[in-house]
Amino acid sequence: GFQEQFIGKTFDDPIEAGSDVDIVAGATTSTSSMISSIRKSVDIIGENILGFEQENIDISSVPDGTYQGSVDGTDGALSVEVTVAGGSIEKIEVTEQHETDTYFVEAYPLIPELIIEEQSLDIDIDTGATMSSARIISAVEIALKNGLAGSGGDGSGE
């Protein structure tokens, strides 16, 4: 039953543990890892074989403000606040997380620092904490999309 929920999903479909596909109770980490692997495989096939391109966010077009983004984590939400000023990401703060502590400390604050340094979400996440790293990036992406859509932020730039 777990595998059947992926049948018919396409490159454009979200595949997020807990919201788009169900996880197996008692095997949250294993099923979350499988879901992440499937998402990455679909992305690689879509981009490299089928010629699809992932939507890239033009950070310079995000209005100044502080925006929130949240994704499902290991045992609950992983939420961030992203501050944009002058067309650049100035600050990324994880405001809530329920990740496995030993993995999360490997991803945070490294991943936010890399995003700010590169001014891009396309960064190397080889931290030993792949799932936590990917979730931080996804939450930042949602926050930036909220900024572009004019929601999910206070517009204060602080």
Side-chain angles (χ1 to χ4, degrees), residues 76-97:
L78 186 149
S79 302
V80 299
E81 276 191 355
V82 179
T83 302
V84 177
S88 297
I89 298 173
E90 297 291 320
K91 181 179 176 185
I92 300 169
E93 180 180 353
V94 173
T95 57
E96 178 183 5
Q97 64 90 11

Side-chain angles (χ1 to χ4, degrees), residues 2-72:
F2 174 77
Q3 294 172 338
E4 290 174 6
Q5 61 188 329
F6 297 98
I7 296 173
K9 292 219 178 264
T10 69
F11 176 78
D12 293 325
D13 290 332
I15 302 175
E16 194 67 41
S19 59
D20 304 305
V21 291
D22 294 327
I23 56 175
V24 176
T28 305
T29 301
S30 297
T31 54
S32 292
S33 295
M34 290 173 63
I35 293 166
S36 177
S37 295
I38 291 167
R39 174 78 265 165
K40 286 179 185 178
S41 297
V42 168
D43 288 347
I44 289 169
I45 291 167
E47 292 173 12
N48 297 315
I49 297 173
L50 301 176
F52 291 115
E53 291 186 25
Q54 290 246 333
E55 178 185 346
N56 292 321
I57 295 175
D58 179 6
I59 295 168
S60 65
S61 66
V62 178
D64 289 359
T66 301
Y67 304 100
Q68 290 77 40
S70 186
V71 296
D72 290 329

Side-chain angles (χ1 to χ4, degrees), residues 103-118:
Y103 294 121
F104 184 75
V105 297
E106 291 186 40
Y108 186 74
L110 177 64
I111 297 301
E113 288 172 0
L114 288 172
I115 292 170
I116 291 168
E117 181 180 308
E118 298 291 326

Side-chain angles (χ1 to χ4, degrees), residues 16 69-71 133-143:
E16 194 67 41
S70 186
V71 296
S133 298
R135 288 180 183 126
I136 292 169
I137 293 168
S138 293
V140 170
E141 179 180 15
I142 290 168

